[in-house]
Amino acid sequence: MPGRSSSSSGSTGFISFSGVESALSSLKTFQSCISSGMDTVSSVALDLVETQTEVSSEYSMDKAMVEFAIMDRDLNHYVKAVQSTINHVKEERPEKIPDLKLLVEKKFLALQNKSSDMDFQNNEKFVQFKQQLKELKKQSVKPKEDGRHNEFDQIKDKDASRAGNERDGLQADREVEGTEGVDEDMIVTQSQTNFICPITQLEMKKPVKNKVCGHTYEEEAIVRMIESKHKRKKKACCPKIGCSHTDIRMSDLIQDEALRRAIESHNKKKYRQPE
């Protein structure tokens, strides 16, 4: 038979692992399906936050992400166990073909025993999911009239609590007078600054975040900059003024879905305002 020694059917000298490697390829394809599923769940969860849907629905998406992350971790362990078993047999070349299934199970259990129930939280997509939800929730806090009720309500509560104390009351009045307009300008300016790409100096349409330093850029602009630098055998530095990250790689960039949605929401409201 092709792939085996004719003199000894139990010898591993000419054993073929093509069938096992084909199965591994299928498992890796399944991994990409898990990744797509996590992307879908993340998108739905962001939709729920953006539309301020009840918390229980968001919680269901969080649970789904946990299940996907655990599935991905377990599948990674199994793939590693199979690959390790194949490499071991190829290197050792035992006289008799060992029980591959048993070897894989032992290696798989060893990997599982080394991991904890919380290891799934290191899954890159799960981490991104939690960060994106947090960012979008921040952006979705809508004050009364133009997104600023939190600051003004706090000032109002401060004033009320100091009623009856003349000196503190006067001080609170001065604080309100001096900061009311500044607070509004700062919030609007900060929001607009977050929307601007440090490369193009234009509002971003497809923002990507640098996992290393946390800064965001227009995807096309940063990719073009990195490629240009690499063609000249140079490192690409983060274009954000003051950033010390001096070696941006393509693998450092992730889609900033929360910021993209925040920009779109901001623009929709701007266009809805009466002239």
Side-chain angles (χ1 to χ4, degrees), residues 71-86:
M71 197 186 307
D72 185 64
R73 180 198 63 188
D74 293 348
L75 187 55
N76 272 326
H77 284 171
Y78 193 78
V79 168
K80 286 179 181 177
V82 174
Q83 289 174 329
S84 177
T85 299
I86 292 174

Side-chain angles (χ1 to χ4, degrees), residues 12 62-63 77 112 149 192 197 203 274:
T12 60
D62 193 86
K63 284 178 64 179
H77 284 171
Q112 290 289 81
H149 78 285
Q192 291 174 341
C197 171
E203 187 176 85

Side-chain angles (χ1 to χ4, degrees), residues 5 10 25 49 53 85 114 124-125 132 147 190 206 223 225:
S5 166
S25 178
V49 172
T53 306
T85 299
K114 286 180 183 178
E124 185 174 353
K125 283 190 177 290
Q132 294 284 301
Q190 182 64 42
K206 291 184 66 178
V223 168
M225 190 189 88

Side-chain angles (χ1 to χ4, degrees), residues 40-67 129-130 133 137:
T40 300
V41 171
S42 181
S43 180
V44 171
L46 292 174
D47 284 341
L48 293 174
V49 172
E50 199 169 33
T51 56
Q52 299 181 346
T53 306
E54 59 184 21
V55 177
S56 59
S57 299
E58 181 193 326
Y59 177 68
S60 297
M61 293 300 101
D62 193 86
K63 284 178 64 179
M65 284 295 285
V66 169
E67 290 175 6
F129 166 74
K130 301 300 284 186
L133 276 183
K137 283 176 181 177

Side-chain angles (χ1 to χ4, degrees), residues 6-23:
S6 57
S7 60
S8 175
S9 60
S11 170
T12 60
F14 297 97
I15 187 172
S16 171
F17 290 98
S18 60
V20 179
E21 287 166 349
S22 175

Side-chain angles (χ1 to χ4, degrees), residues 8-183:
S8 175
S9 60
S11 170
T12 60
F14 297 97
I15 187 172
S16 171
F17 290 98
S18 60
V20 179
E21 287 166 349
S22 175
L24 269 181
S25 178
S26 297
L27 286 177
K28 289 175 181 177
T29 299
F30 184 60
Q31 280 182 305
S32 68
C33 293
I34 292 176
S35 178
S36 297
M38 294 181 86
D39 288 340
T40 300
V41 171
S42 181
S43 180
V44 171
L46 292 174
D47 284 341
L48 293 174
V49 172
E50 199 169 33
T51 56
Q52 299 181 346
T53 306
E54 59 184 21
V55 177
S56 59
S57 299
E58 181 193 326
Y59 177 68
S60 297
M61 293 300 101
D62 193 86
K63 284 178 64 179
M65 284 295 285
V66 169
E67 290 175 6
F68 271 125
I70 292 175
M71 197 186 307
D72 185 64
R73 180 198 63 188
D74 293 348
L75 187 55
N76 272 326
H77 284 171
Y78 193 78
V79 168
K80 286 179 181 177
V82 174
Q83 289 174 329
S84 177
T85 299
I86 292 174
N87 293 335
H88 174 76
V89 173
K90 286 181 177 178
E91 289 172 6
E92 296 294 323
R93 300 173 69 88
E95 292 183 3
K96 292 185 179 180
I97 300 175
D99 188 333
L100 297 180
K101 181 180 178 182
L102 183 61
L103 283 176
V104 169
E105 287 178 352
K106 284 182 177 179
K107 290 181 182 294
F108 174 69
L109 287 174
L111 288 170
Q112 290 289 81
N113 289 334
K114 286 180 183 178
S115 62
S116 71
D117 291 339
M118 303 303 288
D119 279 351
F120 70 86
Q121 293 192 15
N122 294 324
N123 181 287
E124 185 174 353
K125 283 190 177 290
F126 184 80
V127 172
Q128 290 175 22
F129 166 74
K130 301 300 284 186
Q131 289 176 343
Q132 294 284 301
L133 276 183
K134 184 178 178 181
E135 289 299 317
L136 191 58
K137 283 176 181 177
K138 264 197 242 175
Q139 299 283 355
S140 297
V141 175
K142 305 302 179 195
K144 303 170 182 176
E145 297 186 9
D146 215 19
R148 286 172 289 279
H149 78 285
N150 286 338
E151 289 79 4
F152 296 126
D153 284 349
Q154 287 172 7
I155 294 171
K156 184 178 179 181
D157 292 341
K158 183 191 290 185
D159 289 343
S161 68
R162 292 177 176 177
N165 187 316
E166 185 176 353
R167 189 189 329 175
D168 287 345
L170 290 172
Q171 182 180 353
D173 288 341
R174 285 198 297 271
E175 288 177 0
V176 172
E177 286 179 10
T179 63
E180 184 172 3
V182 175
D183 285 345

